[in-house]
PDB file of all heavy atoms in Angstrom:
ATOM      1  N   VAL A  22     111.207-110.916  67.049  1.00 97.00           N
ATOM      2  CA  VAL A  22     112.213-111.701  67.751  1.00 97.00           C
ATOM      3  C   VAL A  22     113.579-111.408  67.151  1.00 97.00           C
ATOM      4  O   VAL A  22     113.733-111.404  65.924  1.00 97.00           O
ATOM      5  CB  VAL A  22     111.913-113.210  67.661  1.00 97.00           C
ATOM      6  CG1 VAL A  22     113.018-114.015  68.338  1.00 97.00           C
ATOM      7  CG2 VAL A  22     110.571-113.525  68.314  1.00 97.00           C
ATOM      8  N   ARG A  23     114.543-111.150  68.010  1.00 97.00           N
ATOM      9  CA  ARG A  23     115.926-110.947  67.572  1.00 97.00           C
ATOM     10  C   ARG A  23     116.716-112.212  67.876  1.00 97.00           C
ATOM     11  O   ARG A  23     116.845-112.619  69.036  1.00 97.00           O
ATOM     12  CB  ARG A  23     116.549-109.749  68.281  1.00 97.00           C
ATOM     13  CG  ARG A  23     117.948-109.384  67.756  1.00 97.00           C
ATOM     14  CD  ARG A  23     118.565-108.284  68.604  1.00 97.00           C
ATOM     15  NE  ARG A  23     119.754-107.703  67.980  1.00 97.00           N
ATOM     16  CZ  ARG A  23     120.924-107.540  68.607  1.00 97.00           C
ATOM     17  NH1 ARG A  23     121.069-107.927  69.876  1.00 97.00           N
ATOM     18  NH2 ARG A  23     121.953-107.002  67.985  1.00 97.00           N
ATOM     19  N   TYR A  24     117.230-112.845  66.820  1.00 96.00           N
ATOM     20  CA  TYR A  24     118.009-114.067  66.961  1.00 96.00           C
ATOM     21  C   TYR A  24     119.504-113.755  66.871  1.00 96.00           C
ATOM     22  O   TYR A  24     119.947-113.020  65.981  1.00 96.00           O
ATOM     23  CB  TYR A  24     117.661-115.063  65.858  1.00 96.00           C
ATOM     24  CG  TYR A  24     116.259-115.628  65.945  1.00 96.00           C
ATOM     25  CD1 TYR A  24     115.242-115.133  65.140  1.00 96.00           C
ATOM     26  CD2 TYR A  24     115.956-116.659  66.825  1.00 96.00           C
ATOM     27  CE1 TYR A  24     113.956-115.653  65.203  1.00 96.00           C
ATOM     28  CE2 TYR A  24     114.676-117.191  66.902  1.00 96.00           C
ATOM     29  CZ  TYR A  24     113.681-116.673  66.091  1.00 96.00           C
ATOM     30  OH  TYR A  24     112.403-117.184  66.155  1.00 96.00           O
ATOM     31  N   ARG A  25     120.273-114.325  67.758  1.00 97.00           N
ATOM     32  CA  ARG A  25     121.732-114.236  67.665  1.00 97.00           C
ATOM     33  C   ARG A  25     122.224-115.079  66.492  1.00 97.00           C
ATOM     34  O   ARG A  25     121.493-115.943  65.976  1.00 97.00           O
ATOM     35  CB  ARG A  25     122.371-114.738  68.966  1.00 97.00           C
ATOM     36  CG  ARG A  25     121.943-113.981  70.212  1.00 97.00           C
ATOM     37  CD  ARG A  25     122.713-114.487  71.428  1.00 97.00           C
ATOM     38  NE  ARG A  25     122.215-113.901  72.675  1.00 97.00           N
ATOM     39  CZ  ARG A  25     121.315-114.476  73.469  1.00 97.00           C
ATOM     40  NH1 ARG A  25     120.826-115.688  73.148  1.00 97.00           N
ATOM     41  NH2 ARG A  25     120.912-113.889  74.570  1.00 97.00           N
ATOM     42  N   PRO A  26     123.462-114.893  66.051  1.00 96.00           N
ATOM     43  CA  PRO A  26     123.993-115.670  64.921  1.00 96.00           C
ATOM     44  C   PRO A  26     123.959-117.178  65.128  1.00 96.00           C
ATOM     45  O   PRO A  26     123.970-117.931  64.151  1.00 96.00           O
ATOM     46  CB  PRO A  26     125.433-115.157  64.791  1.00 96.00           C
ATOM     47  CG  PRO A  26     125.378-113.753  65.308  1.00 96.00           C
ATOM     48  CD  PRO A  26     124.403-113.802  66.452  1.00 96.00           C
ATOM     49  N   ASP A  27     123.894-117.636  66.377  1.00 96.00           N
ATOM     50  CA  ASP A  27     123.825-119.081  66.621  1.00 96.00           C
ATOM     51  C   ASP A  27     122.387-119.594  66.668  1.00 96.00           C
ATOM     52  O   ASP A  27     122.150-120.772  66.946  1.00 96.00           O
ATOM     53  CB  ASP A  27     124.561-119.458  67.907  1.00 96.00           C
ATOM     54  CG  ASP A  27     123.934-118.830  69.154  1.00 96.00           C
ATOM     55  OD1 ASP A  27     122.910-118.116  69.028  1.00 96.00           O
ATOM     56  OD2 ASP A  27     124.465-119.054  70.258  1.00 96.00           O
ATOM     57  N   GLY A  28     121.406-118.722  66.411  1.00 95.00           N
ATOM     58  CA  GLY A  28     120.015-119.135  66.363  1.00 95.00           C
ATOM     59  C   GLY A  28     119.274-119.048  67.685  1.00 95.00           C
ATOM     60  O   GLY A  28     118.065-119.299  67.739  1.00 95.00           O
ATOM     61  N   THR A  29     119.959-118.685  68.750  1.00 94.00           N
ATOM     62  CA  THR A  29     119.283-118.523  70.031  1.00 94.00           C
ATOM     63  C   THR A  29     118.590-117.164  70.088  1.00 94.00           C
ATOM     64  O   THR A  29     118.985-116.211  69.400  1.00 94.00           O
ATOM     65  CB  THR A  29     120.261-118.652  71.204  1.00 94.00           C
ATOM     66  OG1 THR A  29     121.298-117.657  71.058  1.00 94.00           O
ATOM     67  CG2 THR A  29     120.888-120.029  71.228  1.00 94.00           C
ATOM     68  N   VAL A  30     117.556-117.070  70.902  1.00 95.00           N
ATOM     69  CA  VAL A  30     116.788-115.835  71.015  1.00 95.00           C
ATOM     70  C   VAL A  30     117.521-114.842  71.912  1.00 95.00           C
ATOM     71  O   VAL A  30     117.855-115.151  73.065  1.00 95.00           O
ATOM     72  CB  VAL A  30     115.379-116.107  71.566  1.00 95.00           C
ATOM     73  CG1 VAL A  30     114.629-114.799  71.813  1.00 95.00           C
ATOM     74  CG2 VAL A  30     114.599-116.993  70.602  1.00 95.00           C
ATOM     75  N   ASP A  31     117.762-113.658  71.379  1.00 96.00           N
ATOM     76  CA  ASP A  31     118.390-112.593  72.160  1.00 96.00           C
ATOM     77  C   ASP A  31     117.347-111.825  72.955  1.00 96.00           C
ATOM     78  O   ASP A  31     117.513-111.566  74.132  1.00 96.00           O
ATOM     79  CB  ASP A  31     119.138-111.637  71.223  1.00 96.00           C
ATOM     80  CG  ASP A  31     119.695-110.443  71.951  1.00 96.00           C
ATOM     81  OD1 ASP A  31     120.662-110.610  72.711  1.00 96.00           O
ATOM     82  OD2 ASP A  31     119.139-109.323  71.780  1.00 96.00           O
ATOM     83  N   ARG A  32     116.256-111.441  72.266  1.00 94.00           N
ATOM     84  CA  ARG A  32     115.160-110.764  72.951  1.00 94.00           C
ATOM     85  C   ARG A  32     113.911-110.769  72.099  1.00 94.00           C
ATOM     86  O   ARG A  32     113.967-111.009  70.887  1.00 94.00           O
ATOM     87  CB  ARG A  32     115.531-109.334  73.336  1.00 94.00           C
ATOM     88  CG  ARG A  32     115.938-108.427  72.192  1.00 94.00           C
ATOM     89  CD  ARG A  32     116.363-107.083  72.758  1.00 94.00           C
ATOM     90  NE  ARG A  32     117.177-106.316  71.853  1.00 94.00           N
ATOM     91  CZ  ARG A  32     116.853-105.090  71.425  1.00 94.00           C
ATOM     92  NH1 ARG A  32     115.729-104.533  71.807  1.00 94.00           N
ATOM     93  NH2 ARG A  32     117.671-104.430  70.619  1.00 94.00           N
ATOM     94  N   THR A  33     112.795-110.500  72.754  1.00 95.00           N
ATOM     95  CA  THR A  33     111.496-110.438  72.101  1.00 95.00           C
ATOM     96  C   THR A  33     110.882-109.077  72.379  1.00 95.00           C
ATOM     97  O   THR A  33     110.881-108.619  73.529  1.00 95.00           O
ATOM     98  CB  THR A  33     110.564-111.549  72.614  1.00 95.00           C
ATOM     99  OG1 THR A  33     111.166-112.822  72.356  1.00 95.00           O
ATOM    100  CG2 THR A  33     109.221-111.485  71.911  1.00 95.00           C
ATOM    101  N   LEU A  34     110.394-108.425  71.325  1.00 96.00           N
ATOM    102  CA  LEU A  34     109.794-107.096  71.449  1.00 96.00           C
ATOM    103  C   LEU A  34     108.300-107.203  71.169  1.00 96.00           C
ATOM    104  O   LEU A  34     107.888-107.520  70.049  1.00 96.00           O
ATOM    105  CB  LEU A  34     110.452-106.123  70.476  1.00 96.00           C
ATOM    106  CG  LEU A  34     109.902-104.702  70.429  1.00 96.00           C
ATOM    107  CD1 LEU A  34     110.083-104.019  71.779  1.00 96.00           C
ATOM    108  CD2 LEU A  34     110.602-103.894  69.347  1.00 96.00           C
ATOM    109  N   THR A  35     107.490-106.962  72.178  1.00 97.00           N
ATOM    110  CA  THR A  35     106.037-107.051  72.042  1.00 97.00           C
ATOM    111  C   THR A  35     105.492-105.813  71.336  1.00 97.00           C
ATOM    112  O   THR A  35     105.917-104.686  71.611  1.00 97.00           O
ATOM    113  CB  THR A  35     105.369-107.197  73.417  1.00 97.00           C
ATOM    114  OG1 THR A  35     105.884-108.360  74.063  1.00 97.00           O
ATOM    115  CG2 THR A  35     103.862-107.332  73.282  1.00 97.00           C
ATOM    116  N   LEU A  36     104.537-106.026  70.431  1.00 98.00           N
ATOM    117  CA  LEU A  36     103.933-104.953  69.649  1.00 98.00           C
ATOM    118  C   LEU A  36     102.459-104.794  70.015  1.00 98.00           C
ATOM    119  O   LEU A  36     101.842-105.722  70.551  1.00 98.00           O
ATOM    120  CB  LEU A  36     104.055-105.267  68.156  1.00 98.00           C
ATOM    121  CG  LEU A  36     105.470-105.390  67.606  1.00 98.00           C
ATOM    122  CD1 LEU A  36     105.435-105.916  66.170  1.00 98.00           C
ATOM    123  CD2 LEU A  36     106.206-104.051  67.648  1.00 98.00           C
ATOM    124  N   PRO A  37     101.872-103.647  69.672  1.00 97.00           N
ATOM    125  CA  PRO A  37     100.451-103.426  69.979  1.00 97.00           C
ATOM    126  C   PRO A  37      99.509-104.014  68.931  1.00 97.00           C
ATOM    127  O   PRO A  37      98.340-103.661  68.887  1.00 97.00           O
ATOM    128  CB  PRO A  37     100.344-101.900  70.024  1.00 97.00           C
ATOM    129  CG  PRO A  37     101.390-101.434  69.061  1.00 97.00           C
ATOM    130  CD  PRO A  37     102.527-102.408  69.204  1.00 97.00           C
ATOM    131  N   VAL A  38     100.025-104.884  68.078  1.00 98.00           N
ATOM    132  CA  VAL A  38      99.229-105.539  67.034  1.00 98.00           C
ATOM    133  C   VAL A  38      99.592-107.016  67.010  1.00 98.00           C
ATOM    134  O   VAL A  38     100.706-107.397  67.385  1.00 98.00           O
ATOM    135  CB  VAL A  38      99.468-104.914  65.639  1.00 98.00           C
ATOM    136  CG1 VAL A  38      99.003-103.473  65.599  1.00 98.00           C
ATOM    137  CG2 VAL A  38     100.942-105.001  65.249  1.00 98.00           C
ATOM    138  N   SER A  39      98.676-107.847  66.542  1.00 98.00           N
ATOM    139  CA  SER A  39      98.927-109.287  66.531  1.00 98.00           C
ATOM    140  C   SER A  39      99.551-109.781  65.239  1.00 98.00           C
ATOM    141  O   SER A  39     100.103-110.883  65.196  1.00 98.00           O
ATOM    142  CB  SER A  39      97.624-110.051  66.776  1.00 98.00           C
ATOM    143  OG  SER A  39      96.680-109.774  65.751  1.00 98.00           O
ATOM    144  N   LEU A  40      99.485-108.959  64.162  1.00 98.00           N
ATOM    145  CA  LEU A  40      99.919-109.432  62.850  1.00 98.00           C
ATOM    146  C   LEU A  40     101.041-108.584  62.251  1.00 98.00           C
ATOM    147  O   LEU A  40     100.882-107.971  61.186  1.00 98.00           O
ATOM    148  CB  LEU A  40      98.726-109.471  61.877  1.00 98.00           C
ATOM    149  CG  LEU A  40      97.526-110.331  62.282  1.00 98.00           C
ATOM    150  CD1 LEU A  40      96.409-110.197  61.257  1.00 98.00           C
ATOM    151  CD2 LEU A  40      97.946-111.792  62.422  1.00 98.00           C
ATOM    152  N   PRO A  41     102.219-108.527  62.892  1.00 98.00           N
ATOM    153  CA  PRO A  41     103.361-107.901  62.210  1.00 98.00           C
ATOM    154  C   PRO A  41     103.780-108.787  61.044  1.00 98.00           C
ATOM    155  O   PRO A  41     103.752-110.017  61.153  1.00 98.00           O
ATOM    156  CB  PRO A  41     104.441-107.855  63.294  1.00 98.00           C
ATOM    157  CG  PRO A  41     104.115-109.012  64.184  1.00 98.00           C
ATOM    158  CD  PRO A  41     102.609-109.107  64.191  1.00 98.00           C
ATOM    159  N   THR A  42     104.144-108.171  59.928  1.00 98.00           N
ATOM    160  CA  THR A  42     104.424-108.952  58.728  1.00 98.00           C
ATOM    161  C   THR A  42     105.874-108.887  58.262  1.00 98.00           C
ATOM    162  O   THR A  42     106.380-109.845  57.702  1.00 98.00           O
ATOM    163  CB  THR A  42     103.525-108.482  57.573  1.00 98.00           C
ATOM    164  OG1 THR A  42     103.735-107.073  57.374  1.00 98.00           O
ATOM    165  CG2 THR A  42     102.049-108.736  57.883  1.00 98.00           C
ATOM    166  N   SER A  43     106.531-107.742  58.478  1.00 98.00           N
ATOM    167  CA  SER A  43     107.921-107.645  58.027  1.00 98.00           C
ATOM    168  C   SER A  43     108.597-106.467  58.711  1.00 98.00           C
ATOM    169  O   SER A  43     107.944-105.627  59.339  1.00 98.00           O
ATOM    170  CB  SER A  43     107.993-107.485  56.504  1.00 98.00           C
ATOM    171  OG  SER A  43     109.325-107.703  56.044  1.00 98.00           O
ATOM    172  N   VAL A  44     109.927-106.410  58.552  1.00 98.00           N
ATOM    173  CA  VAL A  44     110.735-105.394  59.224  1.00 98.00           C
ATOM    174  C   VAL A  44     111.846-104.913  58.300  1.00 98.00           C
ATOM    175  O   VAL A  44     112.319-105.653  57.432  1.00 98.00           O
ATOM    176  CB  VAL A  44     111.365-105.945  60.520  1.00 98.00           C
ATOM    177  CG1 VAL A  44     110.323-106.080  61.613  1.00 98.00           C
ATOM    178  CG2 VAL A  44     112.045-107.294  60.279  1.00 98.00           C
ATOM    179  N   ALA A  45     112.283-103.662  58.514  1.00 98.00           N
ATOM    180  CA  ALA A  45     113.398-103.103  57.743  1.00 98.00           C
ATOM    181  C   ALA A  45     114.005-101.949  58.519  1.00 98.00           C
ATOM    182  O   ALA A  45     113.277-101.112  59.068  1.00 98.00           O
ATOM    183  CB  ALA A  45     112.936-102.619  56.372  1.00 98.00           C
ATOM    184  N   PHE A  46     115.328-101.893  58.567  1.00 98.00           N
ATOM    185  CA  PHE A  46     115.998-100.758  59.184  1.00 98.00           C
ATOM    186  C   PHE A  46     116.029 -99.583  58.203  1.00 98.00           C
ATOM    187  O   PHE A  46     116.163 -99.765  56.991  1.00 98.00           O
ATOM    188  CB  PHE A  46     117.429-101.123  59.589  1.00 98.00           C
ATOM    189  CG  PHE A  46     117.506-101.869  60.882  1.00 98.00           C
ATOM    190  CD1 PHE A  46     117.591-103.257  60.897  1.00 98.00           C
ATOM    191  CD2 PHE A  46     117.484-101.186  62.098  1.00 98.00           C
ATOM    192  CE1 PHE A  46     117.649-103.948  62.096  1.00 98.00           C
ATOM    193  CE2 PHE A  46     117.547-101.882  63.303  1.00 98.00           C
ATOM    194  CZ  PHE A  46     117.630-103.259  63.299  1.00 98.00           C
ATOM    195  N   GLY A  47     115.908 -98.377  58.763  1.00 97.00           N
ATOM    196  CA  GLY A  47     115.954 -97.184  57.929  1.00 97.00           C
ATOM    197  C   GLY A  47     116.141 -95.953  58.783  1.00 97.00           C
ATOM    198  O   GLY A  47     116.560 -96.027  59.946  1.00 97.00           O
ATOM    199  N   GLY A  48     115.825 -94.808  58.208  1.00 94.00           N
ATOM    200  CA  GLY A  48     116.065 -93.537  58.866  1.00 94.00           C
ATOM    201  C   GLY A  48     117.440 -93.007  58.519  1.00 94.00           C
ATOM    202  O   GLY A  48     118.296 -93.729  57.995  1.00 94.00           O
ATOM    203  N   ARG A  49     117.666 -91.747  58.785  1.00 93.00           N
ATOM    204  CA  ARG A  49     118.932 -91.110  58.390  1.00 93.00           C
ATOM    205  C   ARG A  49     120.142 -91.812  58.989  1.00 93.00           C
ATOM    206  O   ARG A  49     121.193 -91.907  58.356  1.00 93.00           O
ATOM    207  CB  ARG A  49     118.908 -89.634  58.808  1.00 93.00           C
ATOM    208  CG  ARG A  49     120.034 -88.806  58.211  1.00 93.00           C
ATOM    209  CD  ARG A  49     119.775 -87.334  58.394  1.00 93.00           C
ATOM    210  NE  ARG A  49     118.557 -86.910  57.715  1.00 93.00           N
ATOM    211  CZ  ARG A  49     118.482 -86.618  56.408  1.00 93.00           C
ATOM    212  NH1 ARG A  49     119.572 -86.733  55.656  1.00 93.00           N
ATOM    213  NH2 ARG A  49     117.356 -86.228  55.874  1.00 93.00           N
ATOM    214  N   SER A  50     120.005 -92.339  60.204  1.00 95.00           N
ATOM    215  CA  SER A  50     121.120 -93.028  60.855  1.00 95.00           C
ATOM    216  C   SER A  50     120.960 -94.546  60.828  1.00 95.00           C
ATOM    217  O   SER A  50     121.734 -95.256  61.481  1.00 95.00           O
ATOM    218  CB  SER A  50     121.249 -92.551  62.308  1.00 95.00           C
ATOM    219  OG  SER A  50     121.495 -91.160  62.370  1.00 95.00           O
ATOM    220  N   MET A  51     119.971 -95.038  60.094  1.00 96.00           N
ATOM    221  CA  MET A  51     119.697 -96.483  59.985  1.00 96.00           C
ATOM    222  C   MET A  51     119.466 -97.131  61.345  1.00 96.00           C
ATOM    223  O   MET A  51     119.790 -98.294  61.567  1.00 96.00           O
ATOM    224  CB  MET A  51     120.844 -97.188  59.253  1.00 96.00           C
ATOM    225  CG  MET A  51     121.019 -96.770  57.793  1.00 96.00           C
ATOM    226  SD  MET A  51     119.556 -97.117  56.766  1.00 96.00           S
ATOM    227  CE  MET A  51     119.569 -98.907  56.735  1.00 96.00           C
ATOM    228  N   ASP A  52     118.863 -96.370  62.262  1.00 96.00           N
ATOM    229  CA  ASP A  52     118.632 -96.901  63.602  1.00 96.00           C
ATOM    230  C   ASP A  52     117.145 -97.015  63.943  1.00 96.00           C
ATOM    231  O   ASP A  52     116.783 -97.218  65.101  1.00 96.00           O
ATOM    232  CB  ASP A  52     119.349 -96.054  64.650  1.00 96.00           C
ATOM    233  CG  ASP A  52     118.922 -94.586  64.627  1.00 96.00           C
ATOM    234  OD1 ASP A  52     118.115 -94.200  63.740  1.00 96.00           O
ATOM    235  OD2 ASP A  52     119.395 -93.821  65.484  1.00 96.00           O
ATOM    236  N   THR A  53     116.291 -96.857  62.932  1.00 96.00           N
ATOM    237  CA  THR A  53     114.858 -97.041  63.129  1.00 96.00           C
ATOM    238  C   THR A  53     114.438 -98.356  62.497  1.00 96.00           C
ATOM    239  O   THR A  53     114.791 -98.645  61.349  1.00 96.00           O
ATOM    240  CB  THR A  53     114.053 -95.892  62.489  1.00 96.00           C
ATOM    241  OG1 THR A  53     114.410 -94.662  63.116  1.00 96.00           O
ATOM    242  CG2 THR A  53     112.548 -96.126  62.653  1.00 96.00           C
ATOM    243  N   LEU A  54     113.710 -99.156  63.235  1.00 98.00           N
ATOM    244  CA  LEU A  54     113.218-100.421  62.710  1.00 98.00           C
ATOM    245  C   LEU A  54     111.746-100.234  62.336  1.00 98.00           C
ATOM    246  O   LEU A  54     110.889-100.049  63.203  1.00 98.00           O
ATOM    247  CB  LEU A  54     113.361-101.527  63.756  1.00 98.00           C
ATOM    248  CG  LEU A  54     113.051-102.955  63.301  1.00 98.00           C
ATOM    249  CD1 LEU A  54     113.956-103.371  62.144  1.00 98.00           C
ATOM    250  CD2 LEU A  54     113.197-103.932  64.468  1.00 98.00           C
ATOM    251  N   PHE A  55     111.474-100.231  61.027  1.00 98.00           N
ATOM    252  CA  PHE A  55     110.112-100.090  60.535  1.00 98.00           C
ATOM    253  C   PHE A  55     109.434-101.456  60.505  1.00 98.00           C
ATOM    254  O   PHE A  55     110.053-102.461  60.150  1.00 98.00           O
ATOM    255  CB  PHE A  55     110.106 -99.466  59.141  1.00 98.00           C
ATOM    256  CG  PHE A  55     110.562 -98.029  59.105  1.00 98.00           C
ATOM    257  CD1 PHE A  55     111.860 -97.705  58.727  1.00 98.00           C
ATOM    258  CD2 PHE A  55     109.697 -97.010  59.466  1.00 98.00           C
ATOM    259  CE1 PHE A  55     112.288 -96.382  58.704  1.00 98.00           C
ATOM    260  CE2 PHE A  55     110.111 -95.679  59.454  1.00 98.00           C
ATOM    261  CZ  PHE A  55     111.408 -95.362  59.068  1.00 98.00           C
ATOM    262  N   VAL A  56     108.156-101.471  60.853  1.00 98.00           N
ATOM    263  CA  VAL A  56     107.399-102.714  60.943  1.00 98.00           C
ATOM    264  C   VAL A  56     106.091-102.557  60.165  1.00 98.00           C
ATOM    265  O   VAL A  56     105.280-101.680  60.484  1.00 98.00           O
ATOM    266  CB  VAL A  56     107.071-103.083  62.403  1.00 98.00           C
ATOM    267  CG1 VAL A  56     106.397-104.449  62.472  1.00 98.00           C
ATOM    268  CG2 VAL A  56     108.321-103.045  63.278  1.00 98.00           C
ATOM    269  N   THR A  57     105.886-103.391  59.147  1.00 98.00           N
ATOM    270  CA  THR A  57     104.600-103.426  58.466  1.00 98.00           C
ATOM    271  C   THR A  57     103.688-104.402  59.192  1.00 98.00           C
ATOM    272  O   THR A  57     104.151-105.381  59.796  1.00 98.00           O
ATOM    273  CB  THR A  57     104.744-103.839  56.993  1.00 98.00           C
ATOM    274  OG1 THR A  57     105.512-105.058  56.917  1.00 98.00           O
ATOM    275  CG2 THR A  57     105.433-102.759  56.182  1.00 98.00           C
ATOM    276  N   THR A  58     102.385-104.138  59.128  1.00 98.00           N
ATOM    277  CA  THR A  58     101.429-104.978  59.842  1.00 98.00           C
ATOM    278  C   THR A  58     100.198-105.213  58.969  1.00 98.00           C
ATOM    279  O   THR A  58     100.053-104.619  57.906  1.00 98.00           O
ATOM    280  CB  THR A  58     100.999-104.333  61.180  1.00 98.00           C
ATOM    281  OG1 THR A  58     100.158-103.193  60.920  1.00 98.00           O
ATOM    282  CG2 THR A  58     102.210-103.878  61.980  1.00 98.00           C
ATOM    283  N   ALA A  59      99.316-106.074  59.441  1.00 97.00           N
ATOM    284  CA  ALA A  59      98.125-106.438  58.677  1.00 97.00           C
ATOM    285  C   ALA A  59      96.877-106.365  59.544  1.00 97.00           C
ATOM    286  O   ALA A  59      96.932-106.494  60.773  1.00 97.00           O
ATOM    287  CB  ALA A  59      98.272-107.845  58.104  1.00 97.00           C
ATOM    288  N   SER A  60      95.751-106.159  58.863  1.00 96.00           N
ATOM    289  CA  SER A  60      94.444-106.252  59.505  1.00 96.00           C
ATOM    290  C   SER A  60      93.623-107.371  58.883  1.00 96.00           C
ATOM    291  O   SER A  60      92.558-107.722  59.392  1.00 96.00           O
ATOM    292  CB  SER A  60      93.688-104.924  59.379  1.00 96.00           C
ATOM    293  OG  SER A  60      93.528-104.559  58.008  1.00 96.00           O
ATOM    294  N   GLN A  61      94.130-107.922  57.783  1.00 91.00           N
ATOM    295  CA  GLN A  61      93.445-108.995  57.065  1.00 91.00           C
ATOM    296  C   GLN A  61      93.137-110.173  57.975  1.00 91.00           C
ATOM    297  O   GLN A  61      94.009-110.684  58.687  1.00 91.00           O
ATOM    298  CB  GLN A  61      94.335-109.463  55.907  1.00 91.00           C
ATOM    299  CG  GLN A  61      93.957-110.779  55.276  1.00 91.00           C
ATOM    300  CD  GLN A  61      92.711-110.661  54.424  1.00 91.00           C
ATOM    301  OE1 GLN A  61      92.355-109.583  54.005  1.00 91.00           O
ATOM    302  NE2 GLN A  61      92.072-111.770  54.150  1.00 91.00           N
ATOM    303  N   GLY A  62      91.879-110.606  57.970  1.00 89.00           N
ATOM    304  CA  GLY A  62      91.503-111.786  58.739  1.00 89.00           C
ATOM    305  C   GLY A  62      91.092-111.518  60.170  1.00 89.00           C
ATOM    306  O   GLY A  62      90.606-112.431  60.856  1.00 89.00           O
ATOM    307  N   LEU A  63      91.284-110.295  60.656  1.00 93.00           N
ATOM    308  CA  LEU A  63      90.891-109.979  62.026  1.00 93.00           C
ATOM    309  C   LEU A  63      89.397-109.668  62.094  1.00 93.00           C
ATOM    310  O   LEU A  63      88.832-109.058  61.185  1.00 93.00           O
ATOM    311  CB  LEU A  63      91.678-108.775  62.546  1.00 93.00           C
ATOM    312  CG  LEU A  63      93.188-108.952  62.724  1.00 93.00           C
ATOM    313  CD1 LEU A  63      93.815-107.640  63.181  1.00 93.00           C
ATOM    314  CD2 LEU A  63      93.500-110.069  63.715  1.00 93.00           C
ATOM    315  N   SER A  64      88.774-110.076  63.172  1.00 93.00           N
ATOM    316  CA  SER A  64      87.363-109.761  63.382  1.00 93.00           C
ATOM    317  C   SER A  64      87.219-108.288  63.744  1.00 93.00           C
ATOM    318  O   SER A  64      88.193-107.607  64.100  1.00 93.00           O
ATOM    319  CB  SER A  64      86.801-110.620  64.508  1.00 93.00           C
ATOM    320  OG  SER A  64      87.420-110.277  65.739  1.00 93.00           O
ATOM    321  N   ARG A  65      85.990-107.788  63.686  1.00 92.00           N
ATOM    322  CA  ARG A  65      85.744-106.406  64.088  1.00 92.00           C
ATOM    323  C   ARG A  65      86.133-106.193  65.540  1.00 92.00           C
ATOM    324  O   ARG A  65      86.661-105.144  65.908  1.00 92.00           O
ATOM    325  CB  ARG A  65      84.267-106.060  63.881  1.00 92.00           C
ATOM    326  CG  ARG A  65      83.845-105.966  62.415  1.00 92.00           C
ATOM    327  CD  ARG A  65      82.381-105.573  62.302  1.00 92.00           C
ATOM    328  NE  ARG A  65      81.970-105.482  60.907  1.00 92.00           N
ATOM    329  CZ  ARG A  65      80.737-105.184  60.512  1.00 92.00           C
ATOM    330  NH1 ARG A  65      79.795-104.943  61.423  1.00 92.00           N
ATOM    331  NH2 ARG A  65      80.437-105.120  59.229  1.00 92.00           N
ATOM    332  N   GLU A  66      85.875-107.191  66.351  1.00 95.00           N
ATOM    333  CA  GLU A  66      86.222-107.087  67.767  1.00 95.00           C
ATOM    334  C   GLU A  66      87.735-106.997  67.955  1.00 95.00           C
ATOM    335  O   GLU A  66      88.223-106.201  68.768  1.00 95.00           O
ATOM    336  CB  GLU A  66      85.668-108.296  68.533  1.00 95.00           C
ATOM    337  CG  GLU A  66      84.152-108.357  68.628  1.00 95.00           C
ATOM    338  CD  GLU A  66      83.486-108.834  67.341  1.00 95.00           C
ATOM    339  OE1 GLU A  66      84.197-109.371  66.447  1.00 95.00           O
ATOM    340  OE2 GLU A  66      82.262-108.661  67.220  1.00 95.00           O
ATOM    341  N   ALA A  67      88.469-107.802  67.189  1.00 93.00           N
ATOM    342  CA  ALA A  67      89.936-107.794  67.299  1.00 93.00           C
ATOM    343  C   ALA A  67      90.508-106.464  66.833  1.00 93.00           C
ATOM    344  O   ALA A  67      91.438-105.929  67.444  1.00 93.00           O
ATOM    345  CB  ALA A  67      90.530-108.938  66.485  1.00 93.00           C
TER     346      ALA A  67
END
């Protein structure tokens, strides 16, 4: 979720995983948003 400075939601980006854990900008131009995720606690089916 991207929040504007006033706390309102600007947009929501859906991911192919249910457990995103953190984010960080990087890359040579600082325009890539890296996302760490988890598998802990998920069933085999999930």
Side-chain angles (χ1 to χ4, degrees):
V22 177
R23 186 186 193 230
Y24 292 100
R25 301 184 187 95
D27 63 1
T29 58
V30 174
D31 174 71
R32 58 184 160 122
T33 301
L34 177 62
T35 302
L36 298 171
V38 296
S39 61
L40 302 177
T42 57
S43 193
V44 286
F46 279 97
R49 192 167 298 278
S50 300
M51 295 299 292
D52 58 356
T53 298
L54 187 59
F55 292 100
V56 185
T57 51
T58 71
S60 58
Q61 165 73 21
L63 294 177
S64 66
R65 290 182 180 179
E66 292 77 14

